[in-house]
Amino acid sequence: MERNKNIERKCKRFSARLKSSKGVSCVEYPCPNIVLCNVGQATGFTKEDVYKLVEDLKTVNIQKFIAEKGESHSFLVFEDTNSAAEFYHTSNGKAKVRNGTTIFMNYVQSVPNDEITCTDGIPKGLSILPDFISHDEEQKYINLFDWTTEANLKNRQVKHYGYEFRYGSNDVDLNSPLPESIPDECNMLWERLKTFGFDIETPDQLTVNKYCPGQGIPSHVDRHSPFSDTILSLSLGSDVVMDWRHHSNKYVPVVVPSRSMLVMQNEARYDWQHGIQPRTWDPVIDIRKSSDGQTERVITGDTKPRDTRISLTFRKTREGPCQCQFKTLCDRGTVEGELSDDLASHLEELHVHQVYEQIAGHFSTTRHKRWPRVDEFLHSVSPGAVLLDLGAGNGKNILNRNDILQIAGERSSGLLLECAGHTQSIPGAQCVRLDLLHTPLRDECADAIICIAVIHHLSSAARRRQAVSTISRLLRPGGRALITVWAKDQSKSNYLAQNKENHDTNLVTMVGGLNLPVHENRTQFRHSDLLVPWKLRKVEDKKPLKTSDTFLRYYHVFEEGELVQLCEMPHLEIESSFYEEGNWCVVCKKR
């Protein structure tokens, strides 16, 4: 009797703790859901441990085990209340895990939804041929490569045959063939592909990547013009989940099994990006039928550990401009090195606008304080003036003043919500959704304009100049504007982390032949046009929580004097230029 009371007291303490810290509401009556109060992902508790707990309970059926990342509790969903009650009475305060910890539990009315449903179909032209080689053949291919003298990238080990795949330009130099061609042992692969209906040109370039658990590759598309219309990838050693993303915002996670051959053609080859997230595990993905009979991919809360994986990527080289019908990610859309407006717009939609919609909440939690010179400019605005903040973000630069009219313009709907929350108590402050390049405001409507950290997201010189022209159009004669952009030189800022070097990473050819390096955060910029990672943290109760999602934002970082040159327009007079907080800044006046 005393033992039962002790278990009850502990369960009540756990219940109160879960309610106050996690918002999990326990109930005192039996139901199909149970929370295991003191074991979870953070304590090393796994699905295998769950099965061991119920292996002697023949009438108990568990439908789902939910262990959220970083949590020391977990959930069980049973087939019915009777199954849950039998497990509860048999195991609560009695069952132990491998390290000897006694498990305490409570009933809960509801459990978190840990599944994500992906309704988009796999890219057209993507084929995965499982069990393409046998276990013995897999081992022979693994043994074929000696990794004692391999080249090293930051995220993995790599070897090249035929031609070196140049990550600096995402292509090959056809004038510099390597002494080692593709090993003869690979010839059987082309013949076997014919039995699956793929009669391809024999590849002449091979890149072999060795991925240890925790390593991945950024989302990218293999450059169009240097390679033919079929790319092959043979996977050895471990399954992996490969993420496929379309510029229309479609997303499809695809399991690539060990010993499978992946064939990329058509849209999958030219119009989708693919990548592998850097993690030691992958989610288990179920293929299910929806209520209307459609196939869905469901990312479950279950995970599977990764092992070392070796991928063999085969390409056939070619010369001349690409002739594909897929323009968005193609490298033929440049005129003297400048992106066409259409392609630049696609790039910004993919790597600026869509990204900020997804990171708006987390981004807002990192933006609080105005820079000193921005604050100085704002406080110099005279009473009665109209002030425009073009690209206002979360509205941190809006002043708590009732003697001026302030209009905060922001393209991202997510950031606009953050801005509205910030400015709702400020008299004379309005938030509007607008695009800097297509601003519907009338000419000469503003006495002062700020445009802070916006123009560096525009991917062509013409579009950046158009943005400054818009600012000039909106200013009244005598009006002043402050424009800031990220500087390429960060040596005088707090951005750089001590003792952190900038490593070469994979370059992603996004559109129009513009090769975009994925920047190593907190290191010196070495390229003018690049993708800067943003590690997303979901926000709950205004507190960021860790996640594994990383998004890439496009930036054009400015050389010294480049912003001044951009602002040299007939109706603008440059009053001053300066460097602040890693940014080049210009104050100009409308003549």
Side-chain angles (χ1 to χ4, degrees):
M1 181 66 71
E2 182 60 31
R3 174 179 172 81
N4 289 339
K5 288 184 178 180
N6 186 43
I7 293 174
E8 184 178 352
R9 283 194 295 270
K10 289 189 174 182
C11 288
K12 285 184 177 180
R13 284 202 300 271
F14 278 120
S15 175
R17 186 182 305 168
L18 287 170
K19 177 64 175 177
S20 62
S21 64
K22 302 297 180 183
V24 176
S25 298
C26 300
V27 296
E28 296 183 358
Y29 51 86
C31 62
N33 309 318
I34 286 177
V35 58
L36 306 180
C37 300
N38 59 328
V39 291
Q41 192 267 353
T43 69
F45 191 67
T46 66
K47 179 181 280 190
E48 287 69 28
D49 294 321
V50 173
Y51 289 148
K52 188 170 181 62
L53 291 175
V54 300
E55 62 183 357
D56 294 328
L57 304 175
K58 304 303 182 184
T59 61
V60 171
N61 295 308
I62 297 177
Q63 290 187 327
K64 187 184 294 185
F65 166 61
I66 302 172
E68 296 177 292
K69 189 175 181 180
E71 299 292 357
S72 57
H73 63 275
S74 54
F75 300 89
L76 298 178
V77 178
F78 292 83
E79 184 178 54
D80 51 41
T81 299
N82 290 335
S83 284
E86 182 179 349
F87 176 78
Y88 182 92
H89 291 300
T90 303
S91 307
N92 187 25
K94 304 168 189 174
K96 296 184 178 182
V97 293
R98 286 171 292 179
N99 63 4
T101 299
T102 301
I103 301 176
F104 296 94
M105 59 193 72
N106 285 295
Y107 293 109
V108 287
Q109 188 62 49
S110 61
V111 299
N113 181 13
D114 65 335
E115 296 185 341
I116 300 173
T117 301
C118 303
T119 58
D120 297 317
I122 66 171
K124 184 183 295 185
L126 176 63
S127 301
I128 297 178
L129 312 177
D131 299 318
F132 187 77
I133 59 174
S134 67
H135 288 285
D136 289 342
E137 289 170 333
E138 177 185 39
Q139 194 57 52
K140 289 179 181 178
Y141 278 115
I142 291 174
N143 295 337
L144 183 62
F145 304 104
D146 174 17
W147 295 101
T148 59
T149 58
E150 76 284 356
N152 286 278
L153 293 176
K154 177 177 180 287
N155 294 317
R156 61 193 181 280
Q157 299 168 308
V158 63
K159 299 174 74 71
H160 305 279
Y161 296 86
Y163 299 93
E164 180 181 357
F165 185 83
R166 302 186 300 187
Y167 290 104
S169 55
N170 223 11
D171 60 7
V172 296
D173 182 357
L174 293 178
N175 295 318
S176 300
L178 296 174
E180 288 187 273
S181 57
I182 297 177
D184 292 340
E185 289 85 348
C186 297
N187 290 336
M188 55 85 67
L189 300 174
W190 334 134
E191 295 302 316
R192 188 167 296 178
L193 277 167
K194 291 180 182 179
T195 67
F196 287 86
F198 295 96
D199 190 2
I200 64 168
E201 294 181 276
T202 302
D204 58 0
Q205 193 278 328
L206 165 63
T207 300
V208 185
N209 284 289
K210 182 178 182 181
Y211 299 88
C212 295
Q215 296 176 335
I217 185 169
S219 189
H220 67 284
V221 61
D222 287 76
R223 192 173 182 182
H224 288 198
S225 61
F227 308 110
S228 68
D229 56 5
T230 299
I231 293 179
L232 309 171
S233 180
L234 181 68
S235 290
L236 311 173
S238 179
D239 298 354
V240 74
V241 171
M242 183 176 289
D243 293 328
W244 289 79
R245 299 182 186 275
H246 193 257
H247 47 83
S248 65
N249 217 23
K250 294 178 182 178
Y251 165 65
V252 183
V254 177
V255 177
V256 181
S258 176
R259 298 187 294 109
S260 69
M261 177 66 83
L262 183 148
V263 184
M264 284 184 276
Q265 296 178 324
N266 202 274
E267 290 183 13
R269 160 70 178 99
Y270 293 114
D271 211 34
W272 288 68
Q273 298 178 83
H274 58 281
I276 297 171
Q277 293 194 37
R279 55 194 178 197
T280 59
W281 52 271
D282 276 315
V284 174
I285 297 178
D286 286 346
I287 308 297
R288 302 176 186 172
K289 291 288 186 181
S290 64
S291 56
D292 58 0
Q294 299 297 314
T295 299
E296 297 178 336
R297 276 179 164 72
V298 179
I299 305 175
T300 71
D302 295 333
T303 62
K304 179 181 179 181
R306 284 183 189 170
D307 292 322
T308 298
R309 173 177 174 266
I310 296 174
S311 70
L312 282 64
T313 301
F314 299 94
R315 306 174 179 92
K316 172 64 177 176
T317 61
R318 62 179 298 279
E319 296 184 80
C322 178
Q323 301 298 323
C324 77
Q325 60 180 317
F326 306 101
K327 296 181 179 180
T328 300
L329 303 181
C330 192
D331 57 346
R332 69 178 183 270
T334 59
V335 178
E336 296 182 355
E338 178 72 4
L339 286 180
S340 70
D341 194 64
D342 182 54
L343 294 174
S345 177
H346 278 298
L347 171 57
E348 292 158 22
E349 176 63 30
L350 185 66
H351 280 290
V352 180
H353 305 313
Q354 289 184 16
V355 171
Y356 276 106
E357 294 295 1
Q358 297 177 85
I359 71 172
H362 181 206
F363 180 83
S364 182
T365 66
T366 67
R367 299 298 187 270
H368 305 290
K369 188 177 180 181
R370 287 187 291 272
W371 300 335
R373 298 289 286 272
V374 174
D375 198 53
E376 177 185 322
F377 179 88
L378 291 171
H379 280 94
S380 72
V381 176
S382 301
V386 175
L387 169 67
L388 299 183
D389 185 352
L390 300 178
N394 68 348
K396 72 169 186 176
N397 291 318
I398 297 298
L399 295 173
N400 189 15
R401 288 179 60 175
N402 60 8
D403 62 342
I404 60 175
L405 174 63
Q406 300 176 89
I407 300 175
E410 173 56 51
R411 190 186 193 281
S412 163
S413 57
L415 285 174
L416 198 63
L417 287 174
E418 300 286 337
C419 186
H422 176 78
T423 60
Q424 62 182 350
S425 62
I426 301 176
Q430 297 290 328
C431 298
V432 296
R433 191 167 189 225
L434 56 79
D435 187 321
L436 179 57
L437 298 182
H438 307 285
T439 304
L441 302 177
R442 64 178 176 83
D443 294 356
E444 300 183 354
C445 64
D447 299 288
I449 294 176
I450 60 172
C451 185
I452 310 301
V454 177
I455 292 178
H456 53 215
H457 285 312
L458 300 174
S459 57
S460 72
R463 291 165 74 82
R464 294 189 285 271
R465 193 161 183 83
Q466 181 184 342
V468 176
S469 179
T470 297
I471 292 171
S472 176
R473 176 180 67 80
L474 297 175
L475 274 178
R476 292 172 182 162
R480 300 166 70 238
L482 170 62
I483 303 169
T484 78
V485 293
W486 213 350
K488 187 174 181 181
D489 179 13
Q490 292 292 314
S491 60
K492 299 176 184 178
S493 76
N494 294 323
Y495 174 74
L496 301 182
Q498 292 185 351
N499 302 320
K500 188 172 184 180
E501 297 181 1
N502 193 342
H503 300 273
D504 281 331
T505 58
N506 297 309
L507 297 186
V508 183
T509 304
M510 296 307 307
V511 301
L514 185 63
N515 294 315
L516 299 174
V518 177
H519 176 62
E520 177 76 8
N521 277 327
R522 313 293 289 179
T523 65
Q524 185 65 267
F525 294 116
R526 300 195 299 171
H527 306 271
S528 295
D529 296 280
L530 41 80
L531 298 173
V532 178
W534 180 278
K535 282 192 170 295
L536 178 66
R537 293 189 177 188
K538 293 181 179 178
V539 177
E540 292 183 8
D541 297 326
K542 297 184 178 180
K543 295 180 180 179
L545 306 175
K546 288 184 178 179
T547 73
S548 60
D549 294 328
T550 298
F551 297 93
L552 300 176
R553 297 176 295 164
Y554 168 81
Y555 279 84
H556 172 81
V557 288
F558 279 62
E559 301 280 2
E560 182 175 3
E562 186 179 352
L563 181 58
V564 171
Q565 184 178 7
L566 189 67
C567 294
E568 290 176 342
M569 293 191 170
H571 299 293
L572 290 182
E573 173 188 342
I574 296 174
E575 291 188 338
S576 63
S577 64
F578 53 92
Y579 181 96
E580 181 180 37
E581 302 289 338
N583 291 263
W584 290 115
C585 313
V586 162
V587 176
C588 49
K589 184 177 181 179
K590 178 78 167 282
R591 293 189 178 98

